[in-house]
């Protein structure tokens, strides 16, 4: 059928999707067509779909998964699900090596969709890996579930909690903890402004609700080290804690770096206007793992909505190339954003360019609207399973090929490494 299958007895696929988050699962589901009948494999470490935007809820209680089993969702489809941990990617030979059910497995591919997302960057600051919790799935010693157990153990005393970062995740973590454990002394520390990620009005509303809950806000302090019971800032200040939660930045898996792909400083793959790797055109990157070199209409940021749009787009590109059709450059428009703060929140329209618009909600109404759109993203994946091609997004023709090509030519030579 193709070169990948003929290299020897290694199993071969037309498309291999690495990662089954919002972007990877959307891409795989959209490729589930009778024509062209592509051979597609979806590889993920877990059979459970993780709604990353709901992980802060798991600090307080178990969160019932809306898609409890990826294999069950794909049952009866043309997509082969492989549960395993990817250990290496050979971009030149078009091979993926993984550990599945305790055994080493190697598969070949013609094209790959890299959708391994990002994780909390726990390596860049000394002591974070050993001494801070992260909002991550699973049962690890520093995961969200372990954090919940630690908080419940200390529910009867005024435990000191520090959450590091001024972004959405840190805001939601602080709000959830202070609401569930009012006696906890919660402090939020940011190197810029706590809640200052979407303009003055949003920042003011977020900070007002956090202060009303009793969260202490500390701005313009960069963390130099996390010790077992205290944080040290670059200015020399120290803050003692019983629990530290780190939300200070994201980083992609180092798989692309080890494979020799062109990456940025956070190990995200540089991609062109079709979301193809600019160094290896047979590899696409979607979701948080991608760094577009061309404009994308609304600014491309790490979000669940950008992930599902990019995953759907890349699937369409692959299907169109099978039909010898050329796609438009990737682009999209945003609709809005919501941030949960305890039982309240902040929500606002952001159409089309991810800037705070005239619709602005606060309190319980904002949280309800936010939760609805979080639910809709998982529901959209279920609808895509039933009707591949269902998902639709606005702003798909916002960027011309001339704009894309001119932007790519202006990009400085990205970081590349030799394969390990």
């Amino acid at each position: 059928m193709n070169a990948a299958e003929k290299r020897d007895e290694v199993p071969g696929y037309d498309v291999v999707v690495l990662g089954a988050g919002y972007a990877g699962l959307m891409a795989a589901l959209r490729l589930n067509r009778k024509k062209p009948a592509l051979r597609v494999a979806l590889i993920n470490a877990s059979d459970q779909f993780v709604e990353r935007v709901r992980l802060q809820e798991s600090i307080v209680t178990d969160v019932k998964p809306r898609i409890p089993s990826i294999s069950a969702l794909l049952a009866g489809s043309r997509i082969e699900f492989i549960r395993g941990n990817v250990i290496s990617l050979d971009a030149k030979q078009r091979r993926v090596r993984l550990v599945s059910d305790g055994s080493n497995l190697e598969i070949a591919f013609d094209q790959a969709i890299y959708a391994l997302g990002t994780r909390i960057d726990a390596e860049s600051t000394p002591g974070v890996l050993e001494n801070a919790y992260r909002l991550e799935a699973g049962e690890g010693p520093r995961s969200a579930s372990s954090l919940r157990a630690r908080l419940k153990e200390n529910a009867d005393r005024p435990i000191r909690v520090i959450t590091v970062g001024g972004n959405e995740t840190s805001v939601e973590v602080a709000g959830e903890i202070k609401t569930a454990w009012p006696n906890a002394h919660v402090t939020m520390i940011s190197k810029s402004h706590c809640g200052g990620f979407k303009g003055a009005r949003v920042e003011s509303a977020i900070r007002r609700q956090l202060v009303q809950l009793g969260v202490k806000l500390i701005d313009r302090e960069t963390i130099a080290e996390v010790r077992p019971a205290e944080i040290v800032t670059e200015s020399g200040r120290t803050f003692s804690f019983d629990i530290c939660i780190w939300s200070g930045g994201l980083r992609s898996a180092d798989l692309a770096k080890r494979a020799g792909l062109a990456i940025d400083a956070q190990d995200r793959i540089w991609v062109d206007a079709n979301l193809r790797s600019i160094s290896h055109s047979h590899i696409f990157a979607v979701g948080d793992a991608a760094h577009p070199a061309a404009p994308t209409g609304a600014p491309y940021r790490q979000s669940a909505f950008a992930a599902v749009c990019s995953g759907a787009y890349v699937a369409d590109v692959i299907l169109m190339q099978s039909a010898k059709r050329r796609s438009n450059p990737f682009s999209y428009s945003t609709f809005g954003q919501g941030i949960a703060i305890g039982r309240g929140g902040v929500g606002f329209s952001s159409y089309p360019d991810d800037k705070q618009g005239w619709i602005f909600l606060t309190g319980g109404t904002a949280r309800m609207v936010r939760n609805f759109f979080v639910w809709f993203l998982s529901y959209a994946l279920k609808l895509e399973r039933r009707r591949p091609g269902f998902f639709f997004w606005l702003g798909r023709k916002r960027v011309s090929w001339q704009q894309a090509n001119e932007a790519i030519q202006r990009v400085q030579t990205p970081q590349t490494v030799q394969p390990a």
Side-chain angles (χ1 to χ4, degrees), residues 133 149-161 177-178 180-186 228-229 240-244:
Y133 290 89
R150 177 78 183 280
L151 285 164
K152 288 184 175 181
E153 287 174 1
N154 295 274
D156 296 331
R157 69 185 187 90
I159 192 170
R160 299 165 300 172
V161 178
I177 292 175
K178 190 60 180 176
W181 292 279
N183 291 331
H185 298 297
V186 180
S240 299
F241 64 80
D242 297 301
I243 294 176
C244 175

Side-chain angles (χ1 to χ4, degrees), residues 207-265:
R207 292 172 71 93
R208 183 170 59 252
Q209 291 187 57
L210 287 172
V211 170
Q212 287 173 350
L213 286 174
V215 177
K216 183 179 180 181
L217 307 179
I218 298 177
D219 301 321
R220 300 190 181 282
E221 287 287 356
T222 300
I223 308 305
E225 182 183 3
V226 179
R227 295 173 179 170
E230 68 178 7
I231 278 177
V232 182
T233 71
E234 290 185 354
S235 67
R237 298 177 68 184
T238 60
F239 299 91
S240 299
F241 64 80
D242 297 301
I243 294 176
C244 175
I245 305 156
W246 189 267
S247 303
L250 298 171
R251 177 174 293 277
S252 291
D254 68 350
L255 183 70
K257 180 178 181 179
R258 290 188 282 113
L261 276 70
I263 56 172
D264 68 6

Side-chain angles (χ1 to χ4, degrees), residues 2-254:
N2 53 54
E5 284 190 306
K6 295 177 181 178
R7 280 195 281 270
D8 42 46
E9 296 182 357
V10 173
Y13 298 88
D14 296 300
V15 183
V16 167
V17 183
L18 306 179
Y22 288 102
L25 187 54
M26 172 59 77
L29 293 170
R30 206 170 179 92
L31 289 171
N32 183 34
R33 310 288 185 94
K34 293 182 179 180
K35 293 183 180 180
L38 299 175
R39 298 183 61 189
V40 180
L42 174 62
I43 302 173
N44 198 58
S46 171
D47 186 37
Q48 182 177 317
F49 175 71
V50 176
E51 291 181 88
R52 187 166 178 174
V53 292
R54 297 179 68 201
L55 281 176
Q56 84 284 347
E57 299 174 30
S58 68
I59 296 173
V60 177
T61 186
D62 285 321
V63 176
K64 184 178 180 180
R66 294 188 173 114
I67 301 177
S69 171
I70 297 172
S71 58
L73 180 69
L74 296 176
S77 74
R78 307 180 69 90
I79 311 301
E80 181 176 346
F81 177 66
I82 303 174
R83 180 177 178 179
N85 290 295
V86 179
I87 55 176
S88 69
L89 168 65
D90 189 327
K92 184 176 181 180
Q93 297 298 320
R94 308 192 187 203
R95 302 287 183 96
V96 174
R97 297 178 181 87
L98 61 146
V99 176
S100 178
D101 294 328
S103 300
N104 292 325
L105 178 65
E106 181 175 334
I107 62 176
F109 60 86
D110 275 354
Q111 297 183 101
I113 301 176
Y114 190 101
L116 292 176
T118 53
R119 55 181 171 78
I120 301 295
D121 184 357
E123 289 83 21
S124 297
T125 303
V128 172
L129 196 64
E130 303 84 3
N131 301 315
Y133 290 89
R134 277 87 66 186
L135 209 61
E136 296 176 346
E139 301 297 329
R142 294 290 172 178
S143 65
S145 61
S146 296
L147 172 59
R148 180 176 70 245
R150 177 78 183 280
L151 285 164
K152 288 184 175 181
E153 287 174 1
N154 295 274
D156 296 331
R157 69 185 187 90
I159 192 170
R160 299 165 300 172
V161 178
I162 290 179
T163 175
V164 177
N167 55 22
E168 298 96 319
T169 300
S170 192
V171 168
E172 295 192 335
V173 166
E176 290 287 340
I177 292 175
K178 190 60 180 176
T179 301
W181 292 279
N183 291 331
H185 298 297
V186 180
T187 301
M188 184 175 171
I189 303 178
S190 173
K191 66 179 180 181
S192 54
H193 272 252
C194 298
F197 49 82
K198 195 66 71 174
R201 189 180 182 189
V202 174
E203 178 182 342
S204 177
I206 288 174
R207 292 172 71 93
R208 183 170 59 252
Q209 291 187 57
L210 287 172
V211 170
Q212 287 173 350
L213 286 174
V215 177
K216 183 179 180 181
L217 307 179
I218 298 177
D219 301 321
R220 300 190 181 282
E221 287 287 356
T222 300
I223 308 305
E225 182 183 3
V226 179
R227 295 173 179 170
E230 68 178 7
I231 278 177
V232 182
T233 71
E234 290 185 354
S235 67
R237 298 177 68 184
T238 60
F239 299 91
S240 299
F241 64 80
D242 297 301
I243 294 176
C244 175
I245 305 156
W246 189 267
S247 303
L250 298 171
R251 177 174 293 277
S252 291
D254 68 350

